[in-house]
Amino acid sequence: MTDVLDDVRDHYRATGLIERLKAALRAFGPQDQRLTPGQLGALDQFHTRGLAATAELAKLAGITADMRVLDVGSGVGGPARYLAAAHGCRVTGVDLSAPFVEAARYLTERTGQSGLVSFETASALELPFEDGRFDVVLLQHVAMNIADRALLYRELRRVLKPGGRFATYDVVLNNGEPHYPVPWARTPATSFLLTVAATREAIEQAGFRTLVAQDDSEAAKAWATQLRAGPLPSPNLGVVMGPDFAQLGANLARNLLEGRLGILTAVFEATSINP
Ligand SMILES: C[S@@+](CC[C@H](N)C(=O)[O-])C[C@H]1O[C@@H](n2cnc3c(N)ncnc32)[C@H](O)[C@@H]1O
């Protein structure tokens, strides 16, 4: 298991990321000028359909200003910053990749949101929080990197209050093996995709009840078609992931358009039984 986590960390190692971000963000003005989540959207929302998908998931989860939200696998922090900006809630992000966490903190200073949004380096399989701390847990395009789904979903359930919400936006296995490399894995060794049915079953067995489950594959296909038509907005996730990001994104688009992969959006309620 440790080997797999090391391989996943390696995929998101992002050497020299802060310097690359500083250089790319000069396009938006001097360093002391505040940035907005909208300006950063093309480089800090690391999932299919970007900012629009985060906004929809937050709405489905019913996030309000008085809630404590945990974003698991928070990447460079775009979703966490959006949630705080749009809903006024406190957000904690955790991510396996230390360079991503550093970048998330840097970008959060640049948007002036460090009072509401914070980040820690940690594994989703061993969260550094006491039981029942959060009202909402978000997981967007992270589960594909995690082999032990039973442990993952139990850990998310543990840190949620009974009645709290778990909102997930996930790539799922649909029809056939995906083409690699993809944005979350350069080889199948760090990719652990499940079907919709297997994902939902694993989540429900961890102590959750389904509130909403929708197949967003068609919206993802429309996004993939647009992506293919190009060009990518600038700066984009290539700043974070490096020069091969265009190829990773193109393979994701191909997998979606060929129906090999699909997208599941779902919200669950934590039941009072914590198995
Ligand atoms: C495709 S990115 C998505 C980032 C973010 N959720 C977003 O949508 O912008 C996947 C993220 O999951 C993180 N990740 C993968 N496995 C993890 C684990 N076991 N624990 C915590 N984070 C993990 C990676 O480091 C990476 O930042």
Side-chain angles (χ1 to χ4, degrees):
M1 181 58 62
T2 307
D3 288 349
V4 173
L5 286 187
D6 284 343
D7 291 345
V8 172
R9 261 189 213 103
D10 196 45
H11 176 74
Y12 298 106
R13 69 188 171 278
T15 311
L17 179 53
I18 303 265
E19 290 314 309
R20 290 204 299 280
L21 285 170
K22 280 184 184 166
L25 294 175
R26 278 188 207 119
F28 296 127
Q31 282 217 32
D32 56 358
Q33 191 169 304
R34 278 212 175 167
L35 297 167
T36 65
Q39 282 177 312
L40 296 178
L43 70 75
D44 73 359
Q45 300 279 333
F46 195 167
H47 50 258
T48 316
R49 294 179 52 235
L51 195 51
T54 303
E56 285 171 25
L57 190 65
K59 213 166 164 195
L60 277 181
I63 293 176
T64 51
D66 55 338
M67 290 180 171
R68 251 175 203 251
V69 179
L70 176 66
D71 185 19
V72 175
S74 45
V76 294
R81 284 186 292 277
Y82 170 81
L83 296 178
H87 298 279
C89 54
R90 256 176 204 288
V91 189
T92 305
V94 293
D95 200 281
L96 194 61
S97 163
F100 275 19
V101 167
E102 251 180 72
R105 288 177 181 148
Y106 171 72
L107 292 172
T108 304
E109 276 168 31
R110 295 281 312 261
T111 59
Q113 291 176 285
S114 301
L116 274 186
V117 185
S118 62
F119 298 93
E120 290 186 38
T121 305
S123 168
L125 301 175
E126 208 177 345
L127 293 168
F129 308 111
E130 74 273 16
D131 297 1
R133 167 131 173 221
F134 296 96
D135 301 288
V136 174
V137 169
L138 228 76
L139 188 76
Q140 292 193 100
H141 282 43
V142 178
M144 314 91 76
N145 279 135
I146 297 181
D148 193 341
R149 295 292 187 96
L151 178 56
L152 168 68
Y153 298 128
R154 276 204 312 272
E155 190 59 356
L156 303 186
R157 169 66 191 84
R158 183 184 69 73
V159 299
L160 266 174
K161 294 176 182 162
R165 305 242 161 128
F166 166 43
T168 185
Y169 179 66
D170 228 331
V171 181
V172 288
L173 209 50
N174 210 354
N175 197 5
E177 279 306 303
H179 305 286
Y180 288 89
V182 286
W184 62 92
R186 288 184 171 88
T187 74
T190 48
S191 184
F192 307 99
L193 293 154
L194 294 181
T195 61
V196 168
T199 303
R200 286 187 57 183
E201 194 186 336
I203 293 172
E204 286 176 357
Q205 281 182 356
F208 289 101
R209 181 172 76 84
T210 303
L211 297 178
V212 179
Q214 64 194 42
D215 178 352
D216 277 335
S217 305
E218 288 309 313
K221 280 186 187 174
W223 170 86
T225 304
Q226 259 186 351
L227 193 77
R228 275 191 166 178
L232 287 179
S234 181
N236 57 56
L237 273 158
V239 177
V240 176
M241 290 302 286
D244 67 346
F245 187 73
Q247 191 203 349
L248 309 184
N251 275 344
L252 171 58
R254 182 178 172 198
N255 288 320
L256 290 166
L257 289 167
E258 291 179 359
R260 292 169 191 271
L261 298 179
I263 299 288
L264 169 69
T265 300
V267 180
F268 301 84
E269 183 183 49
T271 60
S272 51
I273 304 145
N274 191 350

